[in-house]
Amino acid sequence: MSLVIAVDPGASGGIAWANAHAPAFALPMPPSVADVIGLLRDLTRGDLQAELWLEDIPKFVGKAIPASSAAVLFRNFGYIEGAATALGLRVIMVKPHDWQKHFKLGTKKDCASTTEWKNKLKSEAVRRFPNLNVTLKTADALLILDFAKNSGAGNNSDAALM
């Protein structure tokens, strides 16, 4: 299995990664474009088969996401996709609904609040990655990573394309 990187591009998002020769790791979203590019470059050095699974973003956010958070989300998404493409990574977009459905935790609508839903996702990430210090910032990226690995990521098969 080649390196698989999973990214939650939200304002409080994170980046997680793993390959066959090492355990998973995760970090909160680096603070600048240069930091993200540096991290991706360091992670993928020499791995020509690396994949980046990027959480796709909604095309319309309405009242669900404040404008300031939406601006950061769209900005992060754009520069991560651009940096990954420039570094020659295979970029696979994954819709939140698709990776969340994989874990059979219900939906955000089943919870009384966004906080309750985020804590539910974090608990699942803690369960799946007990040796990591999972935070609200890294939980989604780790779950996207788990979803990617269970979807054939790192094998460079067309089945991993979404």
Side-chain angles (χ1 to χ4, degrees):
M1 178 176 101
S2 293
L3 177 68
V4 178
I5 303 167
V7 181
D8 166 14
S12 296
I15 299 178
W17 64 93
N19 64 30
H21 308 295
F25 293 92
L27 292 171
M29 184 63 61
S32 73
V33 175
D35 292 331
V36 170
I37 292 170
L39 177 61
L40 292 177
R41 186 180 297 124
D42 290 345
L43 290 175
T44 60
R45 192 158 285 152
D47 189 344
L48 301 177
Q49 303 299 314
E51 295 178 355
L52 186 134
W53 287 61
L54 180 59
E55 184 177 50
D56 206 355
I57 55 176
K59 306 308 179 240
F60 176 77
V61 294
K63 295 179 182 179
I65 301 175
S68 60
S69 294
V72 172
L73 175 67
F74 282 92
R75 178 178 173 265
N76 287 354
F77 178 87
Y79 75 68
I80 292 165
E81 182 183 23
T85 301
L87 291 169
L89 304 180
R90 183 172 181 220
V91 178
I92 296 115
M93 305 294 181
V94 59
K95 294 183 183 318
H97 170 78
D98 292 339
W99 71 260
Q100 291 168 2
K101 183 179 176 183
H102 170 77
F103 297 104
K104 299 177 180 157
L105 299 173
T107 67
K108 187 176 181 179
K109 292 178 184 176
D110 297 331
C111 295
S113 66
T114 298
T115 301
E116 181 183 334
W117 174 243
K118 287 297 196 178
N119 283 324
K120 193 174 196 179
L121 293 172
K122 180 185 172 195
S123 293
E124 183 66 14
V126 167
R127 189 179 75 73
R128 290 175 182 268
F129 297 94
N131 297 325
L132 292 179
N133 179 26
V134 178
T135 68
L136 287 171
K137 291 184 176 189
T138 60
D140 286 8
L142 285 164
L143 292 176
I144 294 166
L145 177 67
D146 189 80
F147 172 77
K149 289 169 59 178
N150 284 297
S151 298
N155 297 323
N156 266 349
S157 69
D158 288 338
L161 288 174
M162 305 216 157

